Amino acid sequence: MDRAGVGKVCLALPGVTLDHPFGEDHDTYKVGGKMFAMVGGHGGVSFKVSDIAYEVLTDTGRAAPAPYMARAKWVHLSDPADWPDDELAEHLATAHGLVAGKLTRKARAELGLS
């Protein structure tokens, strides 16, 4: 999946906005103002994962701990094209759900999330 594909998957999720807080070469996807995925200027993608997924993905070498965000259980894929599109799309949807689940009930309701 390329940068445009990541954008298409992320923007199809409910309540998602695209932002560029780190410059125009970084696409940051947010739900309720909170980041859940980011595509860097060189095409790598980072996203939030569960504690278990973090351990599995980093221990097996399928993903690396995301720079600056590993403590928050984010992983980084230097080349997302190496992953099957459906698997990456599922991880991005899960990242969205993890972050959206931490929003207040009011914020989720305003975004149309249950």
Side-chain angles (χ1 to χ4, degrees), residues 5-108:
V6 170
K8 184 176 178 181
V9 168
C10 289
L11 291 172
L13 298 167
V16 172
T17 58
L18 171 61
D19 195 9
H20 299 96
F22 308 112
E24 288 299 316
D25 62 335
H26 286 75
D27 296 339
T28 303
Y29 298 94
K30 298 180 176 184
V31 59
K34 306 286 184 183
M35 291 191 318
F36 70 92
M38 182 171 65
V39 179
H42 298 290
V45 64
S46 297
F47 52 90
K48 173 85 171 143
V49 293
S50 69
D51 292 350
I52 293 170
Y54 181 84
E55 294 301 322
V56 170
L57 293 172
T58 57
D59 285 352
T60 60
R62 295 205 60 220
Y68 311 107
M69 297 294 286
R71 63 178 166 64
K73 303 300 187 218
W74 278 58
V75 296
H76 177 76
L77 310 176
S78 58
D79 187 2
D82 289 343
W83 279 44
D85 288 354
D86 58 338
E87 186 178 347
L88 182 53
E90 185 177 326
H91 277 288
L92 293 170
T94 299
H96 173 271
L98 289 168
V99 173
K102 298 279 185 169
L103 298 174
T104 64
R105 188 175 319 153
K106 180 180 177 183
R108 287 193 308 268

